[in-house]
Amino acid sequence: GLEALIANPGGASGWNGPYLKKGKVPKDPWDRDYLYRYPGDQGELDVFTLGQNGQPGGDGEDSDVGNWQ
Protein backbone atom coordinates (compact mmCIF):
# COMPACT_ATOMS: atom_id res chain seq x y z
CA GLY A 1 0.00 0.00 0.00
CA LEU A 2 0.95 3.61 0.48
CA GLU A 3 3.35 2.72 3.31
CA ALA A 4 5.77 1.66 0.55
CA LEU A 5 6.34 5.38 0.04
CA ILE A 6 8.04 5.43 3.45
CA ALA A 7 9.58 1.98 3.98
CA ASN A 8 10.77 -0.73 1.63
CA PRO A 9 7.94 -3.27 1.42
CA GLY A 10 10.52 -6.06 1.47
CA GLY A 11 11.92 -7.72 -1.58
CA ALA A 12 11.10 -4.77 -3.84
CA SER A 13 14.02 -4.43 -6.18
CA GLY A 14 14.74 -0.89 -7.25
CA TRP A 15 13.12 0.71 -4.18
CA ASN A 16 15.03 3.93 -3.57
CA GLY A 17 12.95 5.67 -0.92
CA PRO A 18 11.74 6.97 1.31
CA TYR A 19 9.73 9.04 -1.13
CA LEU A 20 7.94 11.26 1.42
CA LYS A 21 10.09 13.75 3.28
CA LYS A 22 8.01 13.93 6.47
CA GLY A 23 8.18 10.18 7.01
CA LYS A 24 4.43 9.60 6.98
CA VAL A 25 1.62 9.34 4.46
CA PRO A 26 -0.48 12.53 4.60
CA LYS A 27 -4.17 12.46 5.45
CA ASP A 28 -6.89 13.60 3.06
CA PRO A 29 -8.44 17.07 3.57
CA TRP A 30 -10.97 15.53 6.01
CA ASP A 31 -8.21 13.95 8.15
CA ARG A 32 -8.82 10.41 6.92
CA ASP A 33 -6.38 7.98 5.35
CA TYR A 34 -6.19 7.94 1.57
CA LEU A 35 -7.39 4.67 0.07
CA TYR A 36 -5.22 2.54 -2.19
CA ARG A 37 -6.35 -0.22 -4.54
CA TYR A 38 -4.11 -2.46 -6.65
CA PRO A 39 -5.05 -3.49 -9.17
CA GLY A 40 -7.23 -0.44 -9.51
CA ASP A 41 -10.74 -0.13 -10.88
CA GLN A 42 -9.87 3.09 -12.75
CA GLY A 43 -6.29 2.31 -13.79
CA GLU A 44 -3.28 0.22 -12.86
CA LEU A 45 -3.67 1.48 -9.29
CA ASP A 46 -6.11 3.81 -7.56
CA VAL A 47 -5.28 6.33 -4.83
CA PHE A 48 -8.41 8.14 -3.68
CA THR A 49 -10.53 9.70 -0.96
CA LEU A 50 -14.27 9.35 -0.50
CA GLY A 51 -14.81 13.07 0.01
CA GLN A 52 -16.28 14.95 2.93
CA ASN A 53 -18.98 12.39 3.75
CA GLY A 54 -16.62 9.38 3.67
CA GLN A 55 -19.08 7.43 1.50
CA PRO A 56 -18.64 6.23 -2.09
CA GLY A 57 -20.09 8.54 -4.75
CA GLY A 58 -21.65 11.87 -3.94
CA ASP A 59 -21.61 15.39 -5.37
CA GLY A 60 -19.60 18.52 -4.62
CA GLU A 61 -17.58 18.20 -1.40
CA ASP A 62 -18.97 14.67 -0.97
CA SER A 63 -17.66 13.40 -4.31
CA ASP A 64 -14.84 10.88 -4.53
CA VAL A 65 -11.48 12.28 -5.65
CA GLY A 66 -8.79 10.05 -7.08
CA ASN A 67 -5.72 9.89 -9.26
CA TRP A 68 -7.93 9.18 -12.28
CA GLN A 69 -9.58 12.63 -12.26
Side-chain angles (χ1 to χ4, degrees), residues 7-42:
N8 188 330
S13 63
W15 191 88
N16 194 27
Y19 299 100
L20 297 175
K21 294 181 186 221
K22 292 186 178 182
K24 64 180 183 174
V25 176
K27 300 285 187 172
D28 74 5
W30 300 277
D31 201 34
R32 288 190 296 269
D33 291 333
Y34 281 96
L35 303 172
Y36 172 86
R37 187 180 299 132
Y38 178 82
D41 292 336
Q42 306 292 326

Side-chain angles (χ1 to χ4, degrees), residues 35-48 67-68:
L35 303 172
Y36 172 86
R37 187 180 299 132
Y38 178 82
D41 292 336
Q42 306 292 326
E44 184 176 352
L45 62 90
D46 298 342
V47 177
F48 60 101
N67 63 312
W68 60 87

